[in-house]
Amino acid sequence: MTGRITGTGSWVPEQVLDNEALSNIVDTSNQWIRERTGVERRHIAEQETTAEMAAKAGKRALEQAKVDPAKVELILVATISGNEILPCTACRVQEMLGAVQATCFDLNSACTGFLFALNTAQAYLKSGIYRNALVIGAESLSNLINWKDRGTCILFGDGAGAAFLEAEESGRYAQITHSDGEKGKALTCSSRNQKQYAEHPDAPETYMEMDGREVFKFAVSSVPQVIQELLEKEKIPKEEIRFYILHQANIRIIQSVSKRLGEAEEKFPVNIQEYGNTSGASIPILLDELNRKGCLQPGDKLVLAAFGAGLSYGASLLEWK
Ligand code: ACO
């Protein structure tokens, strides 16, 4: 059994913060941000919760798949920025969609979250435990960012993307993932719920903190390496890959991966200019845009690849139907 994607959806908040407006908040410039990252604007969830965005993206995916929410068996939400710890974001989504039969849980793997959630759903479908799954990546990173830190706040944005999978006998899905906890310090965000029993004056900042250069170096070596590993394992010549749908973290990282793989930049669709890095939401938002624009044809082989906090990284191969 393989999970076939029969519907995709996405949703981003209306509120837009462009680079000019951001340069009134921190010491930066439109030119610097565009040249160093490719980001031009990002969407900010001022009113919406992560769960609301996730539910809206999920609803669109179910509508496209023409599936009654009551028939959904599994809801997985990849997120690091749920607005509450309990209940999980996936259970909130279940309530909003009326997906009364679904088993629901969240998965925390930052920017590789959607990929890891997709793999998890595929494993459930392959084993026959569930027959379908709604996989969502949703983030309100604007809540985790230190808006005084120009090294991070310029990069991130909010939004959600979703894919609905239905099990079928044929089809192809393969994946390789890795985690490297020894490099975990390169990208951290402490819990905001650690000081209930005793106040610790030296408690760490509860904002996202990042060694940007370290993460950059990691990404440009690990992503092409894991893609190559996957293609070799699956014995697929790279010429057969229609698109490489990469986590949208930095245009320079995507260009470097394209160069290192010896593959044309046209095979690496980007939307980072519009949304910034939406972490676990970036791959499903891009996938939904490509799908709705009619860029994906039956039989197209797609590679999805991501890296992120953990540090972790991975790549998946799927055939579009
Ligand atoms: N505006 C203007 N100048 C800046 C800014 C800014 N926003 N940020 C840094 N600078 C300055 C620095 O102070 C530095 O100045 P100096 O040379 O006088 O010291 C100079 O620009 C270069 O700084 P670098 O940090 O070397 O800049 P770099 O080219 O590496 O770009 C960036 C920084 C964009 C953060 C890059 O390192 C990056 O994209 N790294 C990957 C980050 C990433 O992908 N993170 C997501 C991980 S996924 C997840 O799980 C959440």
Side-chain angles (χ1 to χ4, degrees), residues 61-195:
L62 294 182
E63 282 167 358
Q64 191 177 69
K66 298 190 175 55
V67 168
D68 178 351
K71 298 262 163 57
V72 176
E73 297 187 6
L74 173 68
I75 299 178
L76 276 181
V77 177
T79 187
I80 53 169
S81 52
N83 297 77
E84 47 196 353
I85 292 177
L86 301 172
C88 67
T89 303
C91 277
R92 287 284 188 215
V93 170
Q94 173 187 35
E95 183 195 11
M96 289 178 220
L97 295 181
V100 289
Q101 304 285 346
T103 297
C104 309
F105 61 93
D106 292 355
L107 191 146
N108 174 340
S109 189
C111 299
T112 40
F114 181 80
L115 206 65
F116 283 15
L118 195 62
N119 294 342
T120 306
Q122 289 284 3
Y124 274 117
L125 299 183
K126 192 173 179 188
S127 70
I129 294 176
Y130 302 115
R131 284 164 299 171
N132 66 48
L134 180 60
V135 184
I136 303 173
E139 304 286 8
S140 308
L141 297 171
S142 57
N143 295 332
L144 302 184
I145 288 164
N146 178 355
W147 287 97
K148 293 181 182 150
D149 174 14
R150 69 179 182 172
T152 52
C153 75
I154 54 145
L155 288 171
F156 298 101
D158 302 338
F164 184 68
L165 311 182
E166 296 183 66
E168 65 168 38
E169 294 289 348
S170 60
R172 183 169 199 174
Y173 188 82
Q175 47 109 353
I176 293 185
T177 53
H178 298 288
S179 297
D180 186 352
E182 281 190 9
K183 293 197 173 77
K185 285 196 181 72
L187 185 46
T188 60
C189 185
S190 299
S191 167
R192 291 183 181 182
N193 300 286
Q194 58 190 340
K195 294 187 285 178

Side-chain angles (χ1 to χ4, degrees), residues 26-29 32-33 36-37 80 109-112 141 149-156 187 208 210-217 219 247-250 252-253 277 279 307-311:
V26 280
D27 180 16
T28 188
S29 68
W32 194 96
I33 301 172
R36 306 304 292 166
T37 73
I80 53 169
S109 189
C111 299
T112 40
L141 297 171
D149 174 14
R150 69 179 182 172
T152 52
C153 75
I154 54 145
L155 288 171
F156 298 101
L187 185 46
M208 202 187 288
M210 181 177 72
D211 181 340
R213 284 181 204 183
E214 195 58 33
V215 177
F216 193 98
K217 267 194 308 191
H247 167 48
Q248 303 288 293
N250 186 319
R252 290 187 295 132
I253 293 175
N277 175 349
S279 189
F307 65 94
L311 298 177

